[in-house]
Amino acid sequence: MTNWLPDLSKGTGPLYLRLADQIETDIGGGALPPGEKLPPQRNLAFDIGVTIGTVTRAYAVARERGLVSGEVGRGTYVLDRNVEEPPARSAAQPLPERLTIIPEATPAQIKLRMDTTSAPDVGQAAIIHDLLGQITLKHADKIGDYTRAWPQEWREAGRKWLASGDWAPDPQSIVPTTGVHAAIMAVIAAVTAPGDKIAFEQLTYASISRSANLIGRRSVVFANDGNGADADDFERLCAQQHPKLVFLMPAVQNPTLSVVPIERLNAIVEVARKYNVWLIEDAIFATLLENRYTPLAALAPERTFHVGGLSKAVAAGVRGGFAACPAHMAPRVQTAHKMVTGGLPFILAELTAQLVNSGQAEAIREKVRREIAEREALARRIFDGIEFSSHRNIPYLWMKLPEPWLSGTFKQVAANEGVLIDDEDEYKPARAEKVFHRIRIGFSMPSKREQVVGGFNTLRRLLDHGSAGYDSYG
């Protein structure tokens, strides 16, 4: 073990970032060679006079930078970043067999995709085709350049699309984005720093957690139940872990389909204010609800980033999204969005705005709702007797597996039968002891209802056969 002792008296910024920078500097300079074990966090904290939390955050940032690796019980070790890359493989050389079977390069060509929830095909391609033609003719100069201005029409489209009930955002608070995921990551980049903690429900859209971890943020988890996020457990987490931000889906939570009652929303807002936590409200599925709801942004406008888009209700490929920001935060999020995405494509932003402002997005959304309702009714008929949650306007089921199925096993069996679904681990933002034995079945991607029925029947057959329907031949 090294006797390495960093000097944090130089530099500016938080101590944990200075320590992480010093680790990187000393690795580059050879003071910390590959394979060297860093001092235990508690020892180093005592030696340099900082809290153990500072060292923990610094080591986490160093891991995110690819400088060190850490294992519980073994310690933290310097990685060798100078390992020789393998020689480039020519196009004529086939990949080894063991590599060719790892990725599913073209699952959509060989399997029925019931692991996605983009808007079903209701004829929107023809509308989009016509609008794209008009945009390319009218704005040829802007399509050939970077997007340098955000017309008011784009912000007005965001106001219309995000409005719910008696609440509508100020157009000047709107940031047009390349989809909801990009909007969320822009907010995270704008209001947090590497090492900061972000709170997630124990089941949620975990791609945000994985993306946040990738840029150096840390995920912490609190409970949710049949009514959504647990406000009491959220307060416990805030008191113990001090997250900077929390990610929530109050209206149609993914994957549980819960809608948080107004009383619990108010309790969550009270906790967020008490501990000064930013709120991200993902309304991507809420836009499919026929009955309007009260958003968090109406209850706590000073700290809520309300995001929504077109992917579930109009067309995922349009990549149309919006973030409604607290006062004075829109410019900051707009800049962060440009930094993390490379910029907003004019043609997609203009297409999104024209779809919404012309009313065509709303017309498509109504057709999408009707198609989803028809498919959800098929699910209720075919899966009669199986426990699951569903909503007539939402394109997925959250199903509890009967004995003896485990969610990961059932997912594999379904894939072997040509149907792709998601197991519960897909929605866990961090490791957890609690097991739900549930799967999510999306039903909007298949182009025809007959395909949906075929997928449902395949899954029902597997559910009914139990363990007799699976042999791993291991």
Side-chain angles (χ1 to χ4, degrees), residues 65-334:
R65 293 177 181 177
L67 303 172
V68 299
S69 65
E71 297 182 19
V72 176
R74 292 192 65 244
T76 302
Y77 293 83
V78 177
L79 293 173
D80 186 355
R81 296 196 292 171
N82 297 314
V83 176
E84 183 178 353
E85 293 290 330
R89 185 176 298 273
S90 70
Q93 291 178 287
L95 288 171
E97 183 178 354
R98 69 178 184 89
L99 291 181
T100 59
I101 64 173
I102 292 176
E104 289 191 52
T106 55
Q109 297 177 13
I110 59 174
K111 298 182 186 296
L112 186 66
R113 299 217 65 152
M114 305 190 86
D115 60 345
T116 185
T117 52
S118 54
D121 181 6
V122 293
Q124 57 267 67
I127 296 172
I128 293 170
H129 172 273
D130 292 343
L131 283 177
L132 284 173
Q134 296 170 23
I135 292 169
T136 54
L137 289 175
K138 184 177 179 180
H139 300 288
D141 56 330
K142 294 179 181 177
I143 290 172
D145 196 1
Y146 296 109
T147 303
R148 304 181 186 277
W150 281 256
Q152 189 62 25
E153 290 80 5
W154 294 2
R155 302 184 193 276
E156 178 61 23
R159 184 195 68 79
K160 290 179 180 178
W161 192 253
L162 298 181
S164 178
D166 295 331
W167 176 82
D170 179 351
Q172 296 311 118
S173 76
I174 300 293
V175 177
T177 65
T178 51
V180 171
H181 190 105
I184 295 167
M185 293 309 299
V187 171
I188 290 173
V191 302
T192 67
D196 282 342
K197 295 176 181 177
I198 300 175
F200 295 90
E201 297 168 73
Q202 62 189 347
L203 289 171
T204 190
Y205 175 56
S207 288
I208 296 299
S209 173
R210 293 192 287 270
S211 299
N213 293 342
L214 193 64
I215 61 171
R217 279 60 170 176
R218 293 185 291 163
S219 300
V220 290
V221 177
F222 65 101
N224 59 2
D225 57 24
N227 290 317
D230 186 319
D232 291 336
D233 202 47
F234 177 46
E235 179 160 23
R236 173 201 60 79
L237 184 76
C238 290
Q240 294 179 356
Q241 299 285 345
H242 309 293
K244 189 73 172 291
L245 179 151
V246 60
F247 172 79
L248 296 165
M249 305 182 78
V252 191
Q253 204 265 358
N254 184 15
T256 68
L257 291 120
S258 61
V259 177
V260 180
I262 187 65
E263 298 80 9
R264 188 175 290 199
L265 286 180
N266 282 315
I268 290 170
V269 166
E270 182 178 344
V271 173
R273 284 177 173 149
K274 179 178 178 180
Y275 293 94
N276 195 27
V277 179
W278 292 105
L279 302 167
I280 291 182
E281 179 178 29
D282 183 351
I284 188 64
F285 286 107
T287 190
L288 286 169
L289 296 177
E290 293 174 314
N291 298 322
R292 297 292 83 187
Y293 63 98
T294 301
L296 277 171
L299 304 176
E302 82 286 355
R303 65 184 58 253
T304 302
F305 296 87
H306 182 94
V307 299
L310 306 188
S311 64
K312 311 303 181 185
V314 179
V318 171
R319 307 310 302 144
F322 306 99
C325 306
H328 312 302
M329 292 298 292
R332 187 170 177 177
V333 172
Q334 182 172 305

